[in-house]
C-alpha cells in the first residue's frame, strides 16, 4: 500500500482517537516544544543513514540525555531493524498486533512522530551494554540500514507489536523509532 493511501486510511482512526480531552468545559491544550534538529527532519532511513555517516566522522560532541549511552541507543535502533529481518524474539498476541498495535502504528505514521519508552529494551532482546562505544553503535546501525535496504519485502518478519508491515511501512516505523530517540540529542 502506498504511503499516501495508507495515511488517508488512517485519518479517520486518528481523528477519533485524538479527540481533545474536556475538563470542566475547557479543552486542554497540548504544549509543544519545537526542536530543530537535522535528525528530526529526516524523511526516511536513507536520510538517517546519511546523517549517521556524517556523525561517524565527527562524533566528538554527540550527547544524549537519559541513562542510555549514545552507543547503546544506536545499537538498540540497529537491533530493531535486525529483528525486522530475522524475527523478533518475543511477540505481542496476534489480537494485540492486529488491533492496538495496528492503530498505534497508524497514529504514529499519521503524526509522523513516535512516542515510546526510550529506555525500554525490545521484549526478549539480547541485552546491549551501556558501555557500547558510539562508533560501534553507529556502525551497527548503518549496517542494519544497509541490510534492510537490500532485503526483499517478502523476507520481512512481523513487528512484535505492529504485526505485518510492508517494507515502506517498516521504513516509516524504523525512521520514527530512530527519530524518537534523537529527540534526546543535546545541542
Amino acid at each position: 500500500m502506498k504511503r499516501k493511501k495508507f495515511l488517508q486510511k488512517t485519518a479517520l482512526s486518528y481523528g477519533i482517537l485524538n479527540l481533545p480531552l474536556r475538563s470542566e468545559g475547557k479543552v486542554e491544550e497540548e504544549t509543544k516544544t519545537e526542536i530543530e534538529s537535522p535528525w528530526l527532519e529526516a524523511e526516511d532511513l536513507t536520510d538517517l543513514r546519511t546523517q549517521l555517516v556524517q556523525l561517524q566522522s565527527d562524533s566528538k560532541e554527540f550527547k544524549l540525555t537519559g541513562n542510555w549511552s549514545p552507543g547503546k541507543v544506536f545499537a538498540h535502533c540497529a537491533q530493531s531493524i535486525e529483528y525486522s529481518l530475522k524475527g523478533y524474539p518475543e511477540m505481542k498476541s496476534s489480537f494485540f498486533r492486529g488491533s492496538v498495535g495496528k492503530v498505534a502504528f497508524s497514529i504514529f505514521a499519521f503524526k509522523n512522530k513516535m512516542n515510546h519508552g526510550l529506555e525500554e529494551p525490545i521484549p526478549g532482546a539480547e541485552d546491549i551494554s551501556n558501555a557500547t562505544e558510539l562508533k560501534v553503535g553507529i556502525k551497527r546501525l548503518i549496517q542494519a540500514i544497509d541490510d534492510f535496504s537490500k532485503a526483499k519485502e517478502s523476507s520481512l518478519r512481523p513487528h512484535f507489536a505492529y504485526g505485518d508491515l510492508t517494507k515502506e511501512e517498516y521504513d516509516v516505523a524504523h525512521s520514527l523509532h530512530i527519530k524518537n530517540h534523537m529527540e534526546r540529542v543535546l545541542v
Side-chain angles (χ1 to χ4, degrees):
M1 174 182 323
K2 296 288 181 205
R3 181 181 172 112
K4 183 178 179 182
K5 188 171 186 158
F6 172 77
L7 293 175
Q8 288 172 340
K9 284 186 171 190
T10 61
L12 180 60
S13 298
Y14 171 77
I16 292 169
L17 292 171
N18 204 37
L19 291 172
L21 298 175
R22 300 219 176 246
S23 175
E24 300 177 359
K26 295 181 182 179
V27 175
E28 294 182 21
E29 294 181 25
E30 261 185 55
T31 56
K32 294 183 180 181
T33 305
E34 293 297 323
I35 301 170
E36 290 185 30
S37 166
W39 294 98
L40 303 181
E41 299 302 317
E43 292 287 324
D44 56 19
L45 288 175
T46 303
D47 289 350
L48 290 164
R49 186 190 186 285
T50 300
Q51 291 178 24
L52 288 163
V53 170
Q54 290 171 349
L55 180 60
Q56 200 171 29
S57 63
D58 184 26
S59 59
K60 62 182 181 259
E61 293 296 320
F62 189 83
K63 295 185 181 177
L64 297 170
T65 61
N67 296 317
W68 281 13
S69 71
K72 180 173 182 168
V73 169
F74 286 123
H76 164 78
C77 292
Q79 191 179 53
S80 181
I81 296 172
E82 293 161 0
Y83 284 139
S84 69
L85 300 171
K86 66 182 181 183
Y88 287 84
E90 288 182 18
M91 304 290 284
K92 299 278 188 185
S93 71
S94 59
F95 175 77
F96 182 95
R97 292 189 315 265
S99 58
V100 176
K102 282 290 184 201
V103 171
F105 175 70
S106 297
I107 291 169
F108 293 155
F110 183 81
K111 287 184 168 185
N112 197 29
K113 182 171 174 44
M114 178 183 288
N115 291 307
H116 77 293
L118 295 177
E119 293 186 353
E120 292 179 14
I122 296 166
E126 177 183 316
D127 187 44
I128 299 169
S129 171
N130 207 37
T132 301
E133 293 180 24
L134 177 60
K135 290 193 182 230
V136 171
I138 292 171
K139 183 178 179 181
R140 182 174 176 183
L141 183 51
I142 290 171
Q143 185 61 57
I145 291 171
D146 289 347
D147 293 345
F148 178 82
S149 68
K150 294 173 192 168
K152 293 183 180 175
E153 187 168 323
S154 61
S155 69
L156 298 176
R157 311 296 297 160
H159 188 274
F160 77 94
Y162 307 145
D164 291 324
L165 298 176
T166 65
K167 189 167 185 180
E168 185 176 2
E169 290 169 333
Y170 249 131
D171 191 299
V172 170
H174 291 316
S175 297
L176 294 178
H177 182 225
I178 295 167
K179 288 166 53 171
N180 189 198
H181 281 282
M182 294 302 102
E183 291 175 19
R184 288 186 156 188
V185 172
L186 292 172
V187 277

